[in-house]
Amino acid sequence: MHKTPTAIQAERGNPVPHILAKLYVGAVMKNDPDCRAALQLIRMTIEEHCPPGVLPSEEAVNATFGPTLLGEAEALAKAIIATVEKLAGAD
């Protein structure tokens, strides 16, 4: 039986959002152009509206995780979390 990224990350003590598990099941096993386009839209939104430095470049993500949908999704999730933490600390 294959483990989902969420189960693997939980074993490592680093759980990821549930949406990543859905991306894994729905698209990571195949390179779905619609999922890639959706992740690109999320990336563009983060780049335009979130603090600089919370999201590594696509090249850095590819070098770290490989050019997978899951790698991009994990980088986006971490950028959202970093943004929320920065905003929460600004209060």
Side-chain angles (χ1 to χ4, degrees):
M1 182 171 88
H2 294 286
K3 294 182 181 178
T4 65
T6 302
I8 294 168
Q9 294 291 339
E11 285 176 3
R12 295 179 185 160
N14 185 17
V16 294
H18 183 67
I19 188 67
L20 293 184
K22 288 185 179 184
L23 281 171
Y24 177 80
V25 171
V28 173
M29 297 172 114
K30 59 181 182 170
N31 191 5
D32 187 329
D34 289 337
C35 284
R36 188 158 298 280
L39 291 175
Q40 186 62 33
L41 177 62
I42 296 167
R43 172 175 276 282
M44 289 172 37
T45 303
I46 290 171
E47 290 173 343
E48 289 177 18
H49 298 284
C50 294
V54 297
L55 180 62
S57 69
E58 289 182 72
E59 294 80 14
V61 171
N62 289 342
T64 303
F65 302 103
T68 66
L69 295 176
L70 183 60
E72 179 69 4
E74 186 170 354
L76 297 172
K78 287 180 178 183
I80 292 167
I81 291 166
T83 299
V84 170
E85 288 174 351
K86 284 185 178 199
L87 293 174
D91 290 340

